[in-house]
Amino acid sequence: ALFALVRRRAVVAEVYDAMDAVADLAVTSLERADRTKASKTMLAFLLTYPMGKKRRKHHLGQLLRGLDYAYEEGRCAALDSLAAALRALPARDVEGHADAFFA
């Protein structure tokens, strides 16, 4: 249901807030299928939702923090999500956050 809201660009504050939990699920869920769904939802959100530079940096930072997750499956999921985001986002958006990725 959240994926459908994201795809339809239903711009409400609750969706932005829910994406914090979705980013966590993309890394911490015990089920691979749930991690995959959360990652796809997060990517759709990053690509389609209107957001300022600060908010985008926050959400990309969540994916980066997932690289420190205690379990390998979660770290790999975070890396996959981050790689998908870097491939899909426009170069200007990636370059704008290069300091976070390549520090």
Side-chain angles (χ1 to χ4, degrees):
L2 183 60
F3 184 75
L5 285 173
V6 169
R7 296 296 284 175
R8 293 174 196 235
R9 293 181 56 153
V11 181
V12 292
E14 291 82 2
V15 172
Y16 289 98
D17 296 338
M19 293 315 294
D20 286 336
V22 171
D24 288 339
L25 281 174
V27 175
T28 63
S29 178
L30 297 177
E31 297 294 327
R32 181 183 184 125
D34 292 341
R35 289 192 307 267
T36 300
K37 286 178 191 175
S39 178
K40 286 181 180 183
T41 302
M42 190 69 192
L43 183 59
F45 173 74
L46 287 170
L47 291 174
T48 62
Y49 254 62
M51 66 183 82
K53 187 174 181 176
K54 186 176 178 181
R55 185 176 291 272
R56 185 176 307 279
K57 184 175 183 176
H58 166 76
H59 289 296
L60 291 173
Q62 286 183 289
L63 297 177
L64 281 170
R65 285 188 298 279
L67 298 175
D68 290 330
Y69 189 64
Y71 298 102
E72 181 180 358
E73 294 87 2
R75 291 191 304 271
C76 289
L79 186 59
D80 290 343
S81 294
L82 197 54
L86 290 175
R87 281 191 303 270
L89 288 169
R92 63 179 157 69
D93 288 346
V94 174
E95 290 169 3
H97 300 292
D99 60 328
F101 295 119
F102 304 109

